[in-house]
Amino acid sequence: MKPWLVVLALLAVGPSGRLAAQTDARLIEALRLAQNGQVDSGRSVIRRLLSALPPSDSVYPQALLAGAKIAPDAATVATNLNRIVLEYGSSPWADDALLLLTQLYFAQRDAAQTIQAAERLRQNYPDSPLRYGADFPAARAYFELKNEARGCELIQESLAGANAAGEVEFTNQVNFYASRCAGVVTAPPPPPAADSTAPAAPKSYTVQVLAVKSAVQVDEMLTRLKVMGFDARVVRDTSGFFKVRVGRYNTREEAQQTQQRLRTRLGGQAFVVEEP
């Protein structure tokens, strides 16, 4: 299989027609070119668009998603999708990106990352129509990790979503795994929140400079940043990456100012992320 078909192949084994369609005419044309065999031309269109657009443009995350769909390798797919999730979590493309990440990590046989992406989609976008598509690979990942109870919970939810959407082929795939859940005791649903009208916790923004598994690289970067006068810290995620981040800001605009300073003084591709 050609590398650029990696995401399209993933979509073929999941629910059909549920991802948000591209709306920008330039991106539609880029994907059309790729589908007609002119992959390099399609990628070129997207590269030029990403270079011309400011990251604050509403089309930017959509362009990242289109770029992921025709990327030359899985690493580039993951980079684009993670940027959407981290930098554009409030955009209409974030749940699309998490669904594709769930499918990508499952195809790579990375059970922990599959579960992390799916659970993030469930937590951050509880009303997303894409949840049931991510529940299925996550359930299979839980089965691989011998967590039958949680796997069966997600199988049941995926089956309900697929039935409601009229996804016959996908329903048949999920049903095959549902048969193993007979007699498995699953956890009861959580009770409703005591005060559903309580305001959401305020978001904050920070700038990510580095994500590596090497403690030596982290120490070197922290030293450089502190010498430059930046307030740097380290966050470690469940996959074992050390993420070096700078500052905490109340608005994206404040974080973007620091982002520009970092890119000017440090180089690299520092980017803004949301934090709870």
Side-chain angles (χ1 to χ4, degrees):
M1 179 181 293
K2 295 178 181 179
W4 68 272
L5 289 173
V6 61
V7 173
L8 298 181
L10 293 171
L11 293 177
V13 299
S16 61
R18 301 300 295 176
L19 283 175
Q22 306 292 158
T23 59
D24 187 271
R26 294 163 293 184
L27 297 174
I28 293 171
E29 174 63 13
L31 294 178
R32 186 194 66 77
L33 288 169
Q35 289 167 350
N36 289 339
Q38 298 174 270
V39 187
D40 288 339
S41 296
R43 289 179 189 150
S44 179
V45 170
I46 293 173
R47 280 197 301 269
R48 288 197 301 269
L49 188 57
L50 286 171
S51 296
L53 289 173
S56 58
D57 194 297
S58 61
V59 176
Y60 203 92
Q62 185 181 166
L64 288 172
L65 185 66
K69 290 179 179 178
I70 57 174
D73 51 63
T76 306
V77 175
T79 296
N80 278 26
L81 296 178
N82 274 304
R83 282 198 65 188
I84 297 169
V85 173
L86 294 171
E87 298 180 52
Y88 302 96
S90 59
S91 78
W93 312 100
D95 56 342
D96 299 65
L98 280 168
L99 171 59
L100 289 174
L101 280 171
T102 302
Q103 295 170 329
L104 175 64
Y105 291 140
F106 183 75
Q108 295 175 325
R109 303 186 65 81
D110 188 333
Q113 289 276 56
T114 300
I115 289 167
Q116 182 179 8
E119 294 288 10
R120 186 168 186 170
L121 172 54
R122 292 171 55 80
Q123 179 179 353
N124 292 2
Y125 310 97
D127 298 323
S128 171
L130 305 179
R131 272 184 46 171
Y132 76 92
D135 286 342
F136 181 46
R140 294 172 65 184
Y142 274 116
F143 290 152
E144 289 182 11
L145 299 179
K146 310 303 181 186
N147 189 338
E148 298 286 323
R150 182 57 175 160
C152 287
E153 287 177 25
L154 295 188
I155 284 291
Q156 292 168 5
E157 292 190 23
S158 184
L159 190 58
N163 281 325
E167 294 277 0
V168 177
E169 183 177 349
F170 187 64
T171 297
N172 291 336
Q173 293 181 49
V174 181
N175 263 324
F176 177 80
Y177 286 87
S179 61
R180 72 186 287 170
C181 293
V184 175
V185 178
T186 59
D195 181 8
S196 59
T197 63
K203 295 177 182 176
S204 64
Y205 300 88
T206 186
V207 183
Q208 185 161 306
V209 178
L210 189 69
V212 294
K213 290 189 175 181
S214 166
V216 174
Q217 287 181 268
V218 169
D219 289 341
E220 290 176 352
M221 181 59 70
L222 285 174
T223 300
R224 290 180 66 189
L225 290 168
K226 289 177 180 178
V227 167
M228 293 178 184
F230 290 104
D231 176 23
R233 67 189 191 284
V234 179
V235 176
R236 188 171 189 181
D237 67 15
T238 56
S239 62
F241 278 92
F242 295 100
K243 298 179 178 180
V244 178
R245 294 178 174 175
V246 171
R248 289 186 177 90
Y249 306 95
N250 294 325
T251 66
R252 180 178 289 277
E253 288 71 23
E254 290 177 290
Q256 287 172 337
Q257 291 175 10
T258 297
Q259 176 191 26
Q260 291 304 317
R261 288 170 55 211
L262 284 164
R263 287 184 173 180
T264 299
R265 300 188 61 186
L266 195 67
Q269 295 294 321
F271 57 89
V272 176
V273 300
E274 293 182 5
E275 290 186 328

